[in-house]
Every structure is written in structure tokens, then in C-alpha cells.
Amino acid sequence: MTTPTGPPRDLVGYGAHIPKVTWPDNANIAVNIVVNYEEGSEYSYAAGDCENDVLGDSGYRFPAHVRDLAQESMYEYGSRAGIWRLLRLFDELHVPATFFGCAVAFEKNPAVAACASRAGHDLVSHGWRWEEHWRLSRDEEREHIRLAVESFEKTWGSRPTGWYCRYGPSVNTRELVVEEGGFAFDCDAYNDDLPYFTTVNGKEHLVVPYSQTYNDSQGSKNPSEFLDYIKRAFDELWLEGERGFPKMMSIGLHPRLVGQAARTSALREFITYAQHKGGVWFARRNDIADWWSTHHHDFPLVDSLRASC
């Protein structure tokens, strides 16, 4: 068996030497709300695929050879209703968000891209389609990255400077993202609570890790459980910041899931709670990347007396 190529693993990271981070206004925590806009770009027979996607809002699975109209309509809810509910909420509470957008999804509903862009939210490429990049050859993946950038320039009005794959990258993704030349960072990692620099083919590259943990697709999707989970995470990370070691928190959302009214209510409660507590920087992902590159490119690592060594 041939061993797959790809980047080496790093199981050490910052370790016990925690970066002494300073966020704007000395915030204890940076919170990035991420809207994964995928609706219309998922696998479906309607799109010419030979399979149904499975991450709608149903536990029922059709046979592989049968078109699942119910699952398709659950995705449609996200683009027809859920996304607009979320955009209204962000506008009401004056909270910026990041769109992990799939290019084809915006092509199917360009009004979403236009509205989100006008509202001041930012864009990270979530691919040409909502597809698993490990299925693609290196040349196919390079071409899909090109198609995505070209598409976003038309729908969003500008190209994205960040990248994120469905389910994480292939062994080629990071090299291709750096090779493309227009991406300042990627989010294809789940291994830290802070950004970090790595080296790709001799070039320095910024990684702003994402989280599947604080994500509306986890667990039972019960609104109370979702609220409890992200609130507990926020409180613990906020406390770490209060003690001198601020972190960042990514909250992953999907319009077809959290765009349902009951779950939007839970999201509203969380945002309001965090705003009232204070000491929080609600930031777009590009803002975090720019801040890190400007203020924390070279900084001392502080030995944490509380770390287990």
C-alpha cells in the first residue's frame, strides 16, 4: 500500500507556551460567526450527481438510486427562508458574520451574495461546489479553485482571500491554495483556538482554524442543547481571556438548520448574552486574519504557569 503524501503533522503547536494575544479593545475573546452557505451546490440528482447528499434535517435515507425530493427541499429551506432570517438577525443585533460560501450556491441564488456583501459580511471560499476535495485529482482541484474564484467575483463582487474545504482538505489543497496566489489564509484545520503560521513549499502561510465542535450540525440539533454548548464554550474561553490568555471561537451555522425559527431563537439568545457580558470582539474571519498578521506575526510565547507540564 502506498503511503499518501501531504503535509507533516504537528501535534505540538503552541503547547504550554501560550501566545500573549491582544484583541481590539483588549477583548477577552474573538467570536467569529460562520454561515456555511451550501444550498444548491450539494450532491443531488437534480445537479447531475448519482447520489443524494445526507446533511439536511432528516434522519431518513433514500436508497442511493432514488432521487430524494424531501432532502432537496430541506436544503431549499435554507436558501428560501433560513438565510434571510439569519441576515435579519445579524442586522438587528449589529453583528458581522463570515460566509463560507460555495460558488455554485451563490450562482443559484445571487441575491444572497449581493445582500450579504452589501451588509458588510465577509467571504471565505467554501469551494466551487460543496464537494469533498479528496475525490478530486490535483488538476481537477486546481481547476475547481479557479472556477470558484471566477464565480465569486461575479456574484459577491470580489474574490475571497480565505479558503475552506468541505470536511477538510485533500493532501494537495493547501499547496494549491498557496500556489493560486490570492489567498491570505485558509481555515482547513481544527487543531487550535488561535491562528498560526505554517510553511508551504518554502512560503509562510497563515491558518485560521475552524471548529466542528461549536457547530449547529452537531448533536441532536435541539435549540437548548446548541445554546448550552456554545454558551459554555464562550464562558470558558472568556474566562481564559480574563486571566490573560485570549482565544478565538468559531461558531458554525447552516441556514437550513439554524435558520429554522426555534434554532434562530437560540442563536439570538447567545449573541445577546455575549454582548451583554462584554469583553467580546465579534469579528469577521478576514478581520481576525488581518489582525493576527499585523499584530501577532512575531510575538513572544509566554510560559503558562497553569499548564500541565
Side-chain angles (χ1 to χ4, degrees):
M1 179 180 293
T2 303
T3 301
T5 59
R9 296 183 68 188
D10 180 1
L11 286 90
V12 177
Y14 294 119
H17 305 284
I18 303 176
K20 184 64 176 178
V21 176
T22 303
W23 295 128
D25 298 323
N26 291 312
N28 289 350
I29 182 173
V31 174
N32 177 227
I33 295 176
V34 176
V35 178
N36 292 269
Y37 192 73
E38 303 150 348
E39 285 78 1
S41 69
E42 78 278 5
Y43 299 125
S44 70
Y45 281 89
D49 305 308
C50 296
E51 60 185 300
N52 301 299
D53 220 312
V54 296
L55 292 180
D57 204 13
S58 171
Y60 187 81
R61 296 292 175 260
F62 268 50
H65 62 282
V66 179
R67 183 176 174 187
D68 188 345
L69 298 179
Q71 189 82 253
E72 290 177 21
S73 71
M74 292 172 191
Y75 279 86
E76 290 165 11
Y77 184 91
S79 63
R80 292 166 59 109
I83 187 58
W84 302 108
R85 181 172 287 119
L86 292 178
L87 284 167
R88 289 193 297 268
L89 178 68
F90 299 149
D91 182 63
E92 175 189 344
L93 299 182
H94 307 290
V95 171
T98 292
F99 274 68
F100 280 10
C102 295
V104 168
F106 283 146
E107 290 175 11
K108 297 290 181 64
N109 196 349
V112 173
C115 182
S117 178
R118 282 197 308 269
H121 304 302
D122 73 339
L123 173 66
V124 167
S125 176
H126 199 9
W128 177 54
R129 288 190 62 190
W130 194 46
E131 60 190 350
E132 294 128 319
H133 278 229
W134 58 263
R135 297 191 185 197
L136 305 175
S137 70
R138 187 181 180 93
D139 287 342
E140 287 172 334
E141 188 171 8
R142 180 187 289 111
E143 175 64 6
H144 286 202
I145 291 173
R146 185 193 69 79
L147 289 171
V149 171
E150 184 179 275
S151 177
F152 288 127
E153 288 175 336
K154 296 175 182 177
T155 57
W156 190 271
S158 61
R159 65 155 296 146
T161 57
W163 179 271
Y164 175 69
C165 287
R166 176 178 182 173
Y167 297 145
S170 77
V171 294
N172 300 311
T173 304
R174 187 161 286 162
E175 288 185 358
L176 292 173
V177 165
V178 171
E179 175 189 300
E180 196 273 343
F183 293 101
F185 64 96
D186 75 64
C187 309
D188 282 327
Y190 307 90
N191 54 6
D192 215 301
D193 297 310
L194 290 171
Y196 59 88
F197 288 98
T198 189
T199 301
V200 181
N201 290 341
K203 296 181 180 179
E204 186 178 69
H205 179 68
L206 180 63
V207 179
V208 184
Y210 186 48
S211 172
Q212 291 285 1
T213 305
Y214 311 125
N215 191 299
D216 62 5
S217 66
Q218 299 296 333
S220 69
K221 306 187 187 77
N222 181 300
S224 296
E225 289 183 6
F226 175 63
L227 173 61
D228 182 64
Y229 212 74
I230 59 176
K231 181 176 176 293
R232 285 179 182 275
F234 174 85
D235 284 343
E236 188 67 19
L237 292 170
W238 189 98
L239 181 61
E240 291 181 12
E242 181 73 5
R243 291 173 173 172
F245 297 100
K247 303 295 193 308
M248 67 171 286
M249 177 182 180
S250 300
I251 300 175
L253 308 176
H254 300 78
R256 61 189 178 274
L257 300 178
V258 82
Q260 297 282 347
R263 298 172 188 147
T264 302
S265 173
L267 179 63
R268 173 193 297 277
E269 188 171 336
F270 168 79
I271 294 173
T272 302
Y273 169 81
Q275 289 176 328
H276 287 170
K277 185 160 186 173
V280 55
W281 178 37
F282 278 102
R284 304 176 304 175
R285 212 158 190 87
N286 278 280
D287 297 332
I288 292 174
D290 289 345
W291 182 270
W292 197 265
S293 295
T294 301
H295 296 86
H296 297 299
H297 188 279
D298 296 300
F299 54 82
L301 299 179
V302 180
D303 288 328
S304 172
L305 298 177
R306 298 181 179 86
S308 298
C309 301

